[in-house]
Amino acid sequence: NLSLLKVLDAGTPAVIFGYSIVRVGCFLNGCCYGIIQNLQLYSSLSAFIIFLILLQIYKRKKFDGEIFFAGMVLYPIYRFGIDFLRVGQRFFGLTVAQIISIFVFILGSYWLFIKKSISL
């Protein structure tokens, strides 16, 4: 009988932590490279930092969905920035991941603000 937002809050840090491990695998495999060496390791470290931030937010959680929506804000910030260093096809100077990140950031920010306003 858990709400969807409680389940998403519980799962979001785990998914981000898993992502940080996957990027180490990308480094070992030699895929997901960029214009600088060890980009996968920077991605892994960035994801791990997001994981630690989400854990801190979890400790002070004020409403269901806060962790999930915070993840929807933090991950796109990381992804938008890191994709400038990745190799790939670009549209209007941005990768597909960067374009999606803009929309996810806006959506996450909107819901984070709305839910925070309602819980006050």
Side-chain angles (χ1 to χ4, degrees):
N1 291 333
L2 291 176
S3 74
L4 176 61
L5 291 176
K6 282 185 180 183
V7 173
L8 290 172
D9 279 350
T12 299
V15 169
I16 295 295
F17 181 73
Y19 180 81
S20 71
I21 293 171
V22 166
R23 286 300 176 193
V24 172
C26 290
F27 173 74
L28 296 174
N29 191 43
C31 63
C32 306
Y33 55 90
I35 59 175
I36 60 172
Q37 285 186 324
N38 297 331
L39 183 64
Q40 307 94 326
L41 296 180
Y42 293 130
S43 294
S44 177
L45 179 62
S46 298
F48 188 72
I49 290 169
I50 292 171
F51 166 73
L52 294 176
I53 292 169
L54 291 176
L55 288 183
Q56 291 303 312
I57 296 170
Y58 204 95
K59 291 178 183 178
R60 297 175 191 87
K61 184 175 136 172
K62 294 179 178 68
F63 58 89
D64 292 340
E66 185 174 8
I67 309 308
F68 175 69
F69 297 129
M72 286 180 66
V73 170
L74 294 172
Y75 178 79
I77 292 170
Y78 140 76
R79 187 59 191 248
F80 188 86
I82 204 82
D83 263 29
F84 284 113
L85 303 175
R86 293 185 74 184
V87 176
Q89 188 175 14
R90 299 188 183 276
F91 304 96
F92 306 107
L94 299 175
T95 65
V96 172
Q98 286 174 313
I99 294 167
I100 292 170
S101 291
I102 292 169
F103 291 109
V104 172
F105 175 82
I106 291 169
L107 186 64
S109 298
Y110 171 77
W111 279 105
L112 194 59
F113 176 75
I114 292 297
K115 291 296 267 182
K116 197 173 274 191
S117 297
I118 291 171
S119 68
L120 292 178

